[in-house]
Amino acid sequence: MKTTFRRQSAYYYSEAFKSIRRNGFLSLATVTTVTVSLFILGVAILLVLNISSYLQGLADDVEISAFVDQTYTDEQALALRDQLLRLNGVEEVDFVSREEAMDSMQTRYSSSGYDLEETLESNPLPNSYRIKASDPQNVQALAQQIAGMEGFYRVNYGQDIVEKLFAITKGVRWGGGCIVGMTILGAVFLIGINIRLSIFARRKEIYLMKLIGARDGFITRPFYIEGIFLAVMGAIIAAIILMGGYEFLLREWTNTSYAMLFPLISDHNLLFRCYGILLAAGLLLGWLGTAISVRRFMDV
Amino acid sequence: MVELYELTKTYPNGVTALDQISLKIDQGEFVFLMGHSGAGKSTLIRMLIREEWPTSGQIFVASRSLVRMKKKEIPYLRRSVGMIFQDFKLLESRTVEENIAFAMMVVGASSRDIKKRVKAVIHEVGLDGKEHSFPNELSGGEQQRVGIARAIINHPVLLIADEPTGNLDQRTSEEIMELIYDINRAGTTVIMATHAQELVKTARRRVVILDKGKVVADMPPGAYMR
């Protein structure tokens, strides 16, 4: 049994590599196409990841401001804190007293030389709370909930910012997805042509194998090896280029002043998972391209 | 060994290749299949190895119903049926030995068994010394011997020969026929499609004649006189 297996797998591989050599130029073109399409996929993934993490960072800073009814005393206003903390999805609650609000406004206007207290005579600002949601996606729902509570007359949050940020993320994902989809389609198509040619070159042999009583698996295995090998080769090359390119970018970027404003992802666990995805995608592409051709062109 | 009941094959273009054929071939028999081109011989042969699917009727080979056979069972049917062809169908890039071993390898035999069996079969068909020749270095008769060796290497119970002497001269044809008779004598059922009337006349075997998809004559050994 063991010798059978060894002899047969030797056969599978020798047939597969004979085909790759015979198809020489096309094999090269296939590997290149897979490399290009998976490289684009990789770039898209890294881009989306970076933009998402950047936007997440922005969205994390979006806070809800809830203004306490002016009729409430300071004690009553402070008591609202516990109610807020009891809400679902609340991460942090900060009380801002009227005096603190005034101070911070004064600081903002100090450069213009105004003395607000003098101008206004009394402090018109209400007590308020700054609330942070544990999930930025929940900000809107949470804000509405707070607005419905007794004791608050007005709730503000960065509606526009939050919604815009998520729209941008969505757009980036869609656009990237379309480009990636098209290049992957091209890669599968080329792998398919490659396998189709290999099948064509060996059609007499395939017919004979069928007549002699070879199982379908025996006949198709060399083609799967060929298709998957080419695709994984392409994937490995794409991953190496991407890895090298990103590491280079990371090094250069951290030396610039932009790095603070727009930090790049440098979590290597996450990055290696990205490169792993490329290899898995290569495997899948190879399998898919081969399967399509084998199914269409090997019915004897 | 082979049983056909009202076997009919109509192609999508409306051509009826086989028209209600019933036929029974016993184990160990030798049957010539004759008829003009287009009489249905090739369709019948393709039907026997389940390359074609009947429109209606039943077909049994070695007690197995080919109509009810599942797709994944087909390889096992074909392993019990050996085939030889008019154009030999050898792999040009492989030696005699490799061409013959190929048939054992694709069904998953071990390399030790293959070595032993290939040697024996090469001797059986009289190709000693030609193991490492390529098909284009061989005469037509020798190439057909390779084809026969490949067909019998997996011990088929049924040998189907499709015009095996069609490309050979008379003397070589007779040698090939002797070889096929030997295989038949050893117990393998043989169905041979042919146009060679002289050969059939001297063979004195059962003859089935097809015409327009019907069996028009089924003659016992010695009855075919023309």
Side-chain angles (χ1 to χ4, degrees), chain A residues 3-4 7-8 11 15 18 202 204-205 207-216 218 299-300, chain B residues 49 51 71 75-76 78-79 85 89-91 94 102-103 105-111 114 150:
Chain A
T3 51
T4 306
R7 190 188 172 90
Q8 289 197 345
Y11 162 83
E15 288 307 314
K18 241 186 265 169
R202 294 182 60 213
K204 191 175 163 187
E205 217 168 315
Y207 179 65
L208 265 177
M209 286 195 265
K210 291 213 159 208
L211 287 187
I212 290 166
R215 267 185 251 110
D216 284 354
F218 181 90
D299 257 351
V300 174
Chain B
I49 53 167
E51 244 191 287
K71 196 165 181 285
Y76 300 97
R78 292 181 180 168
R79 287 174 196 193
F85 311 89
K89 293 204 195 301
L90 304 180
L91 300 173
R94 295 177 198 234
F102 181 76
M105 193 184 63
V106 301
V107 299
S110 76
S111 45
I114 292 176
R150 186 182 61 197

Side-chain angles (χ1 to χ4, degrees), chain B residues 107-132:
Chain B
V107 299
S110 76
S111 45
R112 215 184 53 207
D113 290 349
I114 292 176
K115 227 176 186 171
K116 240 175 24 197
R117 178 85 180 123
V118 167
K119 203 171 172 219
V121 172
I122 283 180
H123 180 70
E124 200 176 327
V125 300
L127 282 173
D128 297 286
K130 301 275 183 187
E131 292 88 344
H132 303 297

